[in-house]
Amino acid sequence: MDRHIGAQLFTIRDFMQTEDDFITSMQKIKKIGFDTVQISGTPLKAKFMKEVLDELDLKCVVTHRAFQDFKENLSEIMEYNSILGCDSCSIGIAPVDMLKTDDGVSAFIEEANTIADKLYDNGFVFGYHNHSAEFVKHNSRTIMDRFLTETDPDKFRFILDTYWVQVGGKDPAKFIREIGKRAMYVHFKDLRIHPDAMFVPEFSEVGEGNLDWDDIIAACDEAGAKCALIEQDTCRRDPFESLKISRDFLVSKGFK
């Protein structure tokens, strides 16, 4: 795995809604020490963001867009990614209503496969970001099992989220080893059990929760993941401080 740890910008989405805020936020990201980012959670145009990233020597490696955009505006998504200079086009989750039934899952897989084929033919790869919902079982099979067996491993890959794999009942490191190279990028996100809410897991800075990071990192190395991206859906601290804490921990583990 490439040991350049990246920032999943969804973590700071509230600070990327205007051009001025995006500039300021990227300056902070660079100052923290990042050189790699994932674009997510912003309405801004690709051309503007690319100019800002280039000026700061930041590289976008993957984007997140809504599945509806892929269905309705696939050519625009390919242009968006081309401008940003990355070939990985991903969605945050399938439409939740489609995941509630076996027939809905079948319909999603059929649509996603068609989209993945078109992306692949144009030099892009479709990425799927999991939550815990994909580990729901229909007819004794998890949705994730169907994703893995009914899609092309070269065309339909994963932006794997360690926190949500754990919540879904799987060991993140073991699961990464199971799917191998399909773990294209991995969201490093920790899970903490707070002493005042002992029955409810919460998001945590990497290294401050309960996940086994030595084993997760080793599994990512074995799978050949392109790189890891720090993500924290909600932060108890300023989100930039949370990103720094996570990054500092991973630097101590050999990242840069």
Side-chain angles (χ1 to χ4, degrees):
M1 177 176 59
D2 186 338
R3 289 301 181 93
H4 284 84
I5 189 73
Q8 208 306 43
L9 299 182
F10 184 77
T11 308
I12 57 166
R13 58 197 177 276
D14 293 339
F15 304 89
M16 300 198 310
Q17 300 306 302
T18 69
E19 292 186 352
D20 286 346
D21 282 349
F22 185 82
I23 293 169
T24 300
S25 294
M26 293 308 98
Q27 290 170 340
K28 290 181 179 180
I29 289 294
K30 186 66 177 182
K31 186 175 181 180
I32 289 169
F34 290 105
D35 57 17
T36 303
V37 299
Q38 175 181 349
I39 297 289
S40 180
T42 178
L44 300 177
K45 299 295 184 183
K47 184 176 183 295
F48 167 77
M49 292 190 290
K50 176 63 171 171
E51 290 171 354
V52 175
L53 296 178
D54 283 350
E55 186 173 336
L56 294 168
D57 197 22
L58 290 167
K59 179 182 179 182
C60 174
V61 293
V62 60
T63 62
H64 265 181
R65 296 278 296 271
F67 187 60
Q68 197 66 24
D69 278 350
F70 280 77
K71 290 174 64 176
E72 297 176 356
N73 305 303
L74 190 58
S75 294
E76 185 272 326
I77 284 177
M78 288 189 282
E79 181 182 6
Y80 180 90
N81 277 264
S82 292
I83 292 169
L84 287 168
C86 64
D87 62 3
S88 303
C89 313
S90 67
I91 65 169
I93 191 171
V96 175
D97 285 346
M98 298 184 82
L99 299 180
K100 291 180 179 179
T101 66
D102 211 31
D103 286 345
V105 174
S106 294
F108 171 75
I109 290 172
E110 183 178 356
E111 292 177 348
N113 279 335
T114 298
I115 289 167
D117 285 343
K118 291 178 180 176
L119 287 171
Y120 192 80
D121 288 345
N122 285 277
F124 298 95
V125 178
F126 179 77
Y128 186 95
H129 171 259
N130 70 281
H131 291 75
S132 55
E134 295 80 11
F135 296 93
V136 166
K137 287 184 177 180
H138 297 305
N139 298 325
S140 301
R141 293 184 69 196
T142 68
I143 296 168
M144 181 61 78
D145 286 339
R146 293 196 59 192
F147 284 177
L148 290 170
T149 58
E150 298 176 33
T151 63
D152 188 316
D154 291 323
K155 300 176 183 178
F156 186 116
R157 299 179 72 179
F158 293 91
I159 317 299
L160 198 74
D161 189 301
T162 56
Y163 175 98
W164 289 116
V165 170
Q166 182 71 61
V167 172
K170 292 280 191 177
D171 176 86
K174 182 178 179 181
F175 188 68
I176 290 166
R177 290 186 173 100
E178 287 175 6
I179 71 171
K181 70 175 186 178
R182 296 191 78 168
M184 182 169 54
Y185 293 97
V186 181
H187 281 174
F188 277 21
K189 183 188 300 181
D190 214 339
L191 182 152
R192 176 177 183 254
I193 305 299
H194 193 282
D196 296 330
M198 292 183 284
F199 299 98
V200 182
E202 68 178 19
F203 303 107
S204 173
E205 290 75 12
V206 179
E208 295 198 349
N210 292 0
L211 297 190
D212 184 345
W213 289 105
D214 288 338
D215 201 21
I216 290 171
I217 293 166
C220 288
D221 284 338
E222 293 166 26
K226 290 189 175 183
C227 81
L229 298 151
I230 296 167
E231 182 182 36
Q232 191 169 337
D233 297 28
T234 58
C235 304
R236 293 171 289 125
R237 305 174 169 96
D238 175 276
F240 293 96
E241 181 183 358
S242 291
L243 284 172
K244 184 179 187 307
I245 290 168
S246 294
R247 186 181 183 280
D248 287 349
F249 171 79
L250 290 168
V251 167
S252 76
K253 296 291 184 180
F255 286 85
K256 55 187 176 181

